[in-house]
Amino acid sequence: MAFSLVNQSKFFSFLLVLVVLIFSCSKNNNQEQQNTKDSLSLTHVEKSLTEDQLKQKLIEKECSKSVEYLSGSVNHMPIYRNILNLKVKGLKLKFKFSNRATIAVFKDLKVNVVLLSKTGAPILERTILIYDFISPNVELNYQTEIEISNQDYLDFEEIEWKIVDAACI
């Protein structure tokens, strides 16, 4: 018994869909194989670097963005001219810095300090240079004093500060 025209068209439609599915699966498989080859070649390139070369790349990365690896806090205390009349002649600033880098050691930190009034206006601005080393995963405590008039001390509300630069060794 011969296929009828309707059965033949259904058969060819089914066959066409089957062929399209097979070709699309083989294309995806080829693409996945190519992606796997690419990732293996990248891993091979990374493995071909020596330990010293990997360390050097990491140091270069950390040194190029030194400020991003440094953080800290600051506290302040007034320095009095005469303890009896409570007139202020300066501020003692106590910094605590930490280095979150993996292997980079930083030195010669440049810190910008701004004393702000109650309205947010800058009263006094100082740049402080800290000539010390800070190793990875270590905290550095640093104290300094800045001169400030008694009136400026009475007017100031908060300290805004930022690490501007740090050298890398």
Side-chain angles (χ1 to χ4, degrees), residues 59 63 103-108 133-135 166-169:
I59 287 175
C63 288
I103 55 177
V105 177
F106 300 114
K107 66 175 188 165
D108 304 340
F133 296 97
I134 181 164
S135 299
C168 187
I169 59 168

Side-chain angles (χ1 to χ4, degrees), residues 36-49:
T36 304
K37 286 180 185 176
D38 291 344
S39 65
L40 288 175
S41 66
L42 287 176
T43 306
H44 179 69
V45 169
E46 289 176 0
K47 286 183 179 180
S48 68
L49 295 176

Side-chain angles (χ1 to χ4, degrees), residues 147-162:
E147 286 186 30
I148 184 173
S149 70
N150 190 58
Q151 187 59 50
D152 285 345
Y153 177 75
L154 295 173
D155 289 341
F156 111 90
E157 180 75 17
E158 69 175 297
I159 296 178
E160 191 177 88
W161 68 282
K162 176 172 123 173

